[in-house]
Amino acid sequence: MHSKYNGYTFPLRDTVTREKVHFHNRYGIELTGDLYLPQNPKAKLAAIAVAGPFGAVKEQAAGLYAEELASRGFAALAFDPSFIGESGGEVRNVASPDINTEDFSAAVDFLATHPLLDEEKVGILGICGFGGMALNAAAMDTRIKATITCTMYDMTRVNARGYFDAADTANARYELKKTLNCQRTADYRANNYARAGGVADSLPEDAPFFVKDYYDYYKTERGYSERSLNSNDGWNVTSALSFINMPILCYSNEIRSAVLMVHGEKAHSCYFSRDAFSQMVKNNPDTANKELLIIPGAVHTDLYDQKNKIPFDHIEKFLKKYLV
């Protein structure tokens, strides 16, 4: 199988340009992105950095969002996080709650210093697991004027507690850590890193709906990418280790800037956004610029690429209110 549009999962309209760019994060890792711009901008543009889903690359949902936002007059940078896709970082195929949060701020560095863009009008947008990273970055980086999360996962929560918090016990975490640390020893001995496998290529009949949902995106022409971890061999098995011990979103209720959280009503993951929004507004004096938008009938991957369900008009209105 190959990507549908010469490496991308979506077409590029003729009113938008796409340029490969490179920038570095605070750890010296070079990141690669695609900068989408409207044709012939006449003034400095408001800009949005876009990443996600977790295990996806810029040629998938992040690029689709960025291309759409550029068609609406914004600059949009879809980028590969550290260690995956075309971005740098060794060892490959790992994630980090710290470094991947920093990746958003590195994208802000790039956008804030670009000659065509307005450094006072920079926002971020995170999809799925990078929705959690985006919200975490918003709690850290005061340059971010507006944050959007779509179909958000809190990857630290799901790794430490399991889906729907079903493994939220000390014993369950101990057994998981024991398994992962045994794998560390095996990896070091083999001088190689075992891969966890991406989305299963053949589904059992009794597979949960959300697994089928992921299959329909990552393993079909709709969303397949040659570079995507989820479309292919997945993360390193031990990638989850740091997520168990390092919860993000601890200070989300101190976010003063604008936040829009979007989730599908029927998504298995909707509880992440509902709970994160409740935590963010609890005892937060700045709630007038915070919004949780639930999309009726939408499932998790609908908000990856289904433009009839992604509320781009609402997103545009939000960005124009808080960025432009």
Side-chain angles (χ1 to χ4, degrees), residues 232-283:
N232 296 287
D233 293 332
W235 298 94
N236 292 351
V237 172
T238 59
S239 185
L241 267 168
S242 61
F243 287 80
I244 300 171
N245 269 20
M246 299 181 188
I248 58 176
L249 308 184
C250 294
Y251 298 103
S252 63
N253 67 339
E254 297 181 5
I255 298 173
R256 299 184 183 186
S257 57
V259 177
L260 170 64
M261 302 183 70
V262 183
H263 223 113
E265 175 195 20
K266 300 296 185 182
H268 70 280
S269 52
C270 193
Y271 71 99
F272 288 120
S273 285
R274 292 188 186 275
D275 290 356
F277 185 82
S278 295
Q279 178 183 329
M280 179 176 60
V281 299
K282 184 178 180 180
N283 300 322

Side-chain angles (χ1 to χ4, degrees), residues 91-95 159 176-184 186-187 192-198 229 233-244:
V91 170
R92 306 300 295 166
N93 313 312
V94 293
N159 277 291
L176 174 60
K177 288 184 282 189
K178 188 166 68 172
T179 298
L180 295 177
N181 284 300
C182 285
Q183 185 63 54
R184 283 190 68 142
D187 287 350
N192 192 31
Y193 293 87
R195 302 284 287 277
L229 300 187
D233 293 332
W235 298 94
N236 292 351
V237 172
T238 59
S239 185
L241 267 168
S242 61
F243 287 80
I244 300 171

Side-chain angles (χ1 to χ4, degrees), residues 78-91:
F79 67 92
D80 288 331
S82 296
F83 309 114
I84 69 170
E86 291 187 297
S87 286
E90 296 291 342
V91 170

Side-chain angles (χ1 to χ4, degrees), residues 292-312:
L292 174 64
L293 178 64
I294 302 297
I295 307 302
V299 299
H300 184 81
T301 67
D302 282 342
L303 299 187
Y304 284 8
D305 65 338
Q306 299 301 297
K307 289 189 175 183
N308 62 328
K309 296 184 178 180
I310 301 170
F312 278 119

Side-chain angles (χ1 to χ4, degrees), residues 36-189:
Y36 293 81
L37 298 172
Q39 289 275 10
N40 304 315
K42 294 178 173 57
K44 286 197 171 186
L45 300 173
I48 303 96
V50 188
F54 196 78
V57 286
K58 64 186 179 304
E59 292 85 1
Q60 295 176 297
L64 180 144
Y65 271 74
E67 198 268 352
E68 178 68 29
L69 291 171
S71 77
R72 294 167 181 256
F74 300 94
L77 171 66
F79 67 92
D80 288 331
S82 296
F83 309 114
I84 69 170
E86 291 187 297
S87 286
E90 296 291 342
V91 170
R92 306 300 295 166
N93 313 312
V94 293
S96 160
D98 177 17
I99 295 174
N100 292 147
T101 297
E102 158 64 18
D103 288 340
F104 270 110
S105 286
V108 173
D109 292 340
F110 173 81
L111 295 172
T113 57
H114 193 287
L116 294 179
L117 311 181
D118 188 334
E119 68 176 292
E120 297 299 325
K121 298 177 180 179
V122 177
I124 61 175
L125 190 156
I127 307 163
C128 186
F130 279 89
M133 303 299 180
L135 202 58
N136 203 42
M140 175 186 70
D141 195 332
T142 57
R143 300 171 301 170
I144 297 168
K145 299 301 190 295
T147 300
I148 300 168
T149 70
C150 290
T151 200
M152 189 203 88
Y153 259 58
D154 177 347
M155 295 306 303
T156 57
R157 178 178 176 178
V158 74
N159 277 291
R161 305 181 191 176
Y163 279 103
F164 312 108
D165 298 337
D168 188 16
T169 68
N171 283 339
R173 277 186 287 276
Y174 180 79
E175 292 302 321
L176 174 60
K177 288 184 282 189
K178 188 166 68 172
T179 298
L180 295 177
N181 284 300
C182 285
Q183 185 63 54
R184 283 190 68 142
T185 303
D187 287 350
Y188 198 88
R189 181 175 288 121

